Amino acid sequence: MNTKSILGNTRRADISFHASGKIDITSRIVNALGINQGDVIDIMTANGEFYLYVSAHAADICGRHEAQCYPSKRGGRHFRTYCRRLCSAILSQHPTHTSRLSFAAGEAVEVHGRKAITIITRNIISHD
C-alpha cells in the first residue's frame, strides 16, 4: 500500500519574498527584532547565511525609505514592506524560477553588533 501525507511539511513560513517586491513578515520576526511601524529592514550575509535586521529605526529617519515596514492589517503585528532589490537578491539564490519564496527563520542572534534573525534559505517552505 502506498501512503502519502496530505500535509507534508507542517512548518509555517516566517517570511515571504515576492517577485513584485512585496515582503511579508510574521509577528514572530517582528517581536524578535522589535520592529515598529516605519522601521527600515535590510538583509546582510555572513558565513553563507542570510540575516534580516533593522537597519534604521523610524525615530531616527524622516521621509520615505525603501524597505520601510508597516502593519499589513491595522493593529496587527504582521508587517509588510516593499523592496524589489531585496526580493531579487533572495529569489536569485534559488534555481527555481518562482514568483514567491517563503522561508522559516531561526533565532535572534547578534551579527556585527546588530540584532538579526537568520533566514533559513536552504529550506523553502512554499513557493509558486
Side-chain angles (χ1 to χ4, degrees):
M1 171 190 269
N2 285 345
T3 60
K4 184 177 178 185
S5 172
I6 299 293
L7 288 177
N9 184 2
T10 59
R11 178 68 164 98
R12 295 185 67 185
D14 290 311
I15 188 163
S16 297
F17 297 90
H18 301 259
S20 65
K22 180 172 75 169
I23 302 171
D24 291 319
I25 307 167
T26 63
S27 60
R28 188 177 90 72
I29 291 179
V30 170
N31 292 333
L33 293 179
I35 298 174
N36 292 305
Q37 182 172 328
D39 287 353
V40 177
I41 62 162
D42 198 357
I43 295 175
M44 69 174 119
T45 58
N47 304 324
E49 299 283 346
F50 289 90
Y51 296 93
L52 179 76
Y53 69 100
V54 176
S55 65
H57 293 281
D60 301 332
I61 59 176
C62 64
R64 294 181 47 183
H65 292 265
E66 196 172 15
Q68 204 165 10
C69 296
Y70 294 95
S72 58
K73 179 179 165 186
R74 188 179 312 177
R77 290 298 292 168
H78 288 78
F79 277 47
R80 178 172 287 158
T81 188
Y82 290 87
C83 183
R84 197 168 280 209
R85 287 192 298 159
L86 287 179
C87 288
S88 294
I90 295 294
L91 294 173
S92 69
Q93 295 296 313
H94 294 280
T96 57
H97 297 288
T98 64
S99 61
R100 177 181 60 90
L101 288 174
S102 299
F103 303 102
E107 297 300 316
V109 295
E110 189 154 321
V111 180
H112 301 296
R114 292 184 177 267
K115 188 175 186 179
I117 196 159
T118 308
I119 301 172
I120 305 170
T121 57
R122 291 186 197 113
N123 185 16
I124 299 171
I125 300 296
S126 63
H127 57 82
D128 287 341

